[in-house]
């Protein structure tokens, strides 16, 4: 394709009986066949702002693909097929957007998206959005933009200012379990997504990498 680079990562997956590749590039979403590079479609999704970016990676659930950005376009949900796509829904420009993620890729769980929406820390919040309809079920400010990870019915949330929160993945209401702060250790900003492996939570900031042991002691 004749596209410019973005800050997203390509997603390779299987839909039906074939392999698919998706790249949310500078000007929109590219759907392609990984083995050959053959382009199935290009879905334009780009803000008119010169300094805008596409930075959240595509979210794939079944044969549906979500793209989201925070510089005016918001999110769109496509149903893909070999050679093309159908737009299921897309946010209106500038206002009334369901999900406008800057760099943080939303998490999907049981029909709902949990993600950060907002261009800057001053207007960003954690929100729960119905995946199919785009209805915002709830929105909760944690004081800044954030990255998150779904695990065991909860969302591990890391704010860009060094905060850490545990929130239940509950589509009915925002349910904060606990919070902690590590800005003195991590430094700012903390833009990397939290990583969990074998009970060890890794957090990366501007100054340090912090490992927290979450395994309960017997």
């Amino acid at each position: 394709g004749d596209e410019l680079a973005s800050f997203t990562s390509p997603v390779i997956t299987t839909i039906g009986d074939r392999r698919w590749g998706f790249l949310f590039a500078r000007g929109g979403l590219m759907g392609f066949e990984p083995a050959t590079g053959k382009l199935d479609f290009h879905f334009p999704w780009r803000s008119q702002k010169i300094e805008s970016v596409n930075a959240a990676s595509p979210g794939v659930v079944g044969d549906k693909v979500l793209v989201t950005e925070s510089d005016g376009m918001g999110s769109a949900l496509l149903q893909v097929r070999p050679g093309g796509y159908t737009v299921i829904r897309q946010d209106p420009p500038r206002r009334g957007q369901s999900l406008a993620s800057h760099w943080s890729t939303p998490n999907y769980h049981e029909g709902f998206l949990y993600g950060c929406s907002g261009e800057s820390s001053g207007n960003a919040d954690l929100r729960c959005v119905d995946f199919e309809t785009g209805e915002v079920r709830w929105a909760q400010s944690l004081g800044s933009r954030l990255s998150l990870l779904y695990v065991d019915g909860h969302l591990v949330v890391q704010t860009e200012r060094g905060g850490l929160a545990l929130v239940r993945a509950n589509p009915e209401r925002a349910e904060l379990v606990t919070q902690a702060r590590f800005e003195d250790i991590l430094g700012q900003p903390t833009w990397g997504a939290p990583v969990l492996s074998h009970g060890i939570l890794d957090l990366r900031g501007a100054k340090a990498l912090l490992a927290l042991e979450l395994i309960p002691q017997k």
Side-chain angles (χ1 to χ4, degrees), residues 176-205:
L176 180 65
V177 177
T178 189
Q179 287 181 288
R181 302 196 66 87
F182 299 102
E183 63 266 35
D184 291 343
I185 300 173
L186 292 169
Q188 297 183 35
T190 52
W191 286 346
V195 176
L196 181 67
S197 178
H198 299 282
I200 306 298
L201 181 68
D202 289 322
L203 306 175
R204 180 167 59 87

Side-chain angles (χ1 to χ4, degrees), residues 38-216:
K38 178 184 176 183
L39 191 66
D40 281 273
F41 65 83
H42 178 276
F43 172 67
W45 199 250
R46 174 179 177 175
S47 170
Q48 296 302 307
K49 293 172 61 176
I50 295 176
E51 67 273 19
S52 67
V53 296
N54 290 335
S57 297
V60 183
V61 180
D63 63 351
K64 298 180 177 66
V65 183
L66 177 96
V67 292
T68 177
E69 64 84 68
S70 66
D71 288 301
M73 299 294 289
S75 65
L77 183 65
L78 312 180
Q79 187 170 33
V80 303
R81 61 183 183 277
Y85 63 88
T86 300
V87 177
I88 297 176
R89 62 173 177 86
Q90 63 184 54
D91 287 342
R94 303 307 307 177
R95 296 182 180 273
Q97 296 171 343
S98 61
L99 188 64
S101 297
H102 189 180
W103 75 84
S104 176
T105 301
N107 284 224
Y108 172 87
H109 178 61
E110 294 184 347
F112 296 93
L113 292 167
Y114 298 91
C116 178
S117 186
E119 183 181 359
S120 64
S121 280
N123 63 14
D125 55 40
L126 172 66
R127 61 179 55 184
C128 174
V129 176
D130 187 294
F131 180 70
E132 294 282 350
T133 67
E135 175 194 3
V136 178
R137 299 295 294 267
W138 54 258
Q140 175 68 50
S141 174
L142 293 177
S144 76
R145 293 175 298 186
L146 51 89
S147 299
L148 68 162
L149 173 70
Y150 171 82
V151 57
D152 290 342
H154 294 76
L155 305 166
V156 178
V157 180
Q158 177 176 277
T159 74
E160 69 174 333
R161 293 175 176 166
L164 186 67
L166 190 66
V167 180
R168 294 193 198 280
N170 182 354
E172 300 304 321
R173 67 183 188 276
E175 197 174 348
L176 180 65
V177 177
T178 189
Q179 287 181 288
R181 302 196 66 87
F182 299 102
E183 63 266 35
D184 291 343
I185 300 173
L186 292 169
Q188 297 183 35
T190 52
W191 286 346
V195 176
L196 181 67
S197 178
H198 299 282
I200 306 298
L201 181 68
D202 289 322
L203 306 175
R204 180 167 59 87
K207 295 195 304 184
L209 177 68
L210 176 65
L212 304 176
E213 185 175 345
L214 304 185
I215 304 169

